[in-house]
Amino acid sequence: MRPRHRPWEEAADFQIGLRPIAPEDWLEGGEADPAARKDPLFAASRGLVWAEADGSRPGQAEAADLIAAALGPAPAPAELPPLYAAARRLPDDLCLMEKRDGEWRLTALSLSAGSFFTAQEVIGRSLGELHGPVTGFADRFLVRVQRIFEGLRPDLVLERRNWTVLNSNALHTPSSAPIRARIGEIGPSQAASALSLRVERQTLRRLPRTGGALFTIRVWLAPLGSLAGQPERLAAFAHAWRSATPELRAYKRFDLYDDLVESFLADPQPA
Ligand code: HEM
């Protein structure tokens, strides 16, 4: 398994990184039965993976229509909220952003592959509040990101990606603590298989009827060892790892993985 996206080859710092893509490339697909993964979480851990604000159903329905237009129509179980019914057809998570009291806020989300946050924690948050933990976001990015939401044309599909390294190959990672608690169990020779490259591919598009925006998050995972045997890819990853800014390293807790990653880079075995 090779990583499908390699965003570490592009930037060593936080970035907005939104670029337009062809509308036909919007959803990448590639998971046979997303509902089989999402439905048990929706049943057993609802608050971790689903939340909706009052008044969000029209926006949810428009988001579901957009998905149906892309994938073709499918019967939606009437008892499910429209955004969740749409999300269970896709590998991606779906976040509905709507303007409330002058702020872009998260009004519904299906978050089955959350990266250290949960649906119930973030529902209702503004763009500024969502990004409170991201070093420098308010000073460097917030105003520009708000403008992007304001100016989003209906025919535009934007994509951005980010990445990290984690000692987990699970998609559903609501909390960092149980994962980080296991780092000490990994020996240097196990780094190739025990560490994963975790890439998020995110897209953004306007919902023209209700005025909101749909933000999608797709998580791709590959073992670190998938880079073995590819000298240029390895060199690019090593450069990204070592040249990441102190703020990015601190935010992603690269310090916890430095020894393991360097062991792998010194002797890059396949996973
Ligand atoms: C479309 C414009 C957006 C940009 C440019 C952006 C940018 C960022 C950046 C730079 C980070 C730090 C990690 C990374 O490099 O990706 C981040 C984290 C995050 N973003 Fe966004 N973001 C956007 C939209 C959203 C939306 C719509 C949501 C709503 C769910 C969201 C939720 C988050 C969360 C929860 C985090 C993690 C914060 C934490 O560490 O707790 N972002 N974002």
Side-chain angles (χ1 to χ4, degrees), residues 18 31 62 72 164 206 217 230 250 270:
L18 284 163
E31 183 177 19
E62 185 176 5
T164 197
R206 168 71 75 227
I217 307 171
Q230 306 178 79

Side-chain angles (χ1 to χ4, degrees), residues 194-211:
L195 298 189
S196 296
L197 295 159
R198 184 178 177 104
V199 173
E200 282 187 19
R201 175 199 182 251
Q202 305 163 346
T203 73
L204 182 67
R205 58 188 301 178
R206 168 71 75 227
L207 298 171
R209 198 167 69 223
T210 52

Side-chain angles (χ1 to χ4, degrees), residues 107-131:
T107 59
L109 74 162
S110 167
L111 184 75
S112 304
S115 301
F116 298 168
F117 66 102
T118 70
Q120 64 194 354
E121 277 162 22
V122 294
I123 188 70
R125 287 195 182 165
S126 66
L127 280 170
E129 290 162 353
L130 285 162
H131 294 97

Side-chain angles (χ1 to χ4, degrees), residues 6 34 49 87 120 124 136-137 157 176 187 224 230 232 239 241 270:
R6 298 183 302 279
V49 299
Q120 64 194 354
F137 192 92
V157 182
S176 59
L224 190 59
Q230 306 178 79
E232 282 179 23
H239 177 73
W241 185 262

Side-chain angles (χ1 to χ4, degrees), residues 197-260:
L197 295 159
R198 184 178 177 104
V199 173
E200 282 187 19
R201 175 199 182 251
Q202 305 163 346
T203 73
L204 182 67
R205 58 188 301 178
R206 168 71 75 227
L207 298 171
R209 198 167 69 223
T210 52
L214 180 61
F215 184 69
T216 70
I217 307 171
R218 169 73 183 276
V219 176
W220 291 95
L221 290 166
L224 190 59
S226 59
L227 298 173
Q230 306 178 79
E232 282 179 23
R233 298 260 158 91
L234 271 169
F237 174 79
H239 177 73
W241 185 262
R242 292 167 186 157
S243 66
T245 61
E247 292 78 14
L248 193 86
R249 288 181 60 83
Y251 175 74
K252 297 186 178 179
R253 295 303 312 268
F254 281 1
D255 57 314
L256 299 175
Y257 299 102
D258 255 334
D259 290 349
L260 290 169

Side-chain angles (χ1 to χ4, degrees), residues 75-124:
E79 69 282 8
L80 294 179
L83 194 71
Y84 181 67
R88 63 195 290 285
R89 299 182 66 198
L90 297 171
D92 308 61
D93 286 338
L94 299 180
C95 301
L96 175 64
M97 298 292 294
E98 296 183 284
K99 215 162 171 196
R100 297 274 169 92
D101 304 326
E103 288 274 7
W104 284 96
R105 291 190 179 276
L106 190 50
T107 59
L109 74 162
S110 167
L111 184 75
S112 304
S115 301
F116 298 168
F117 66 102
T118 70
Q120 64 194 354
E121 277 162 22
V122 294
I123 188 70

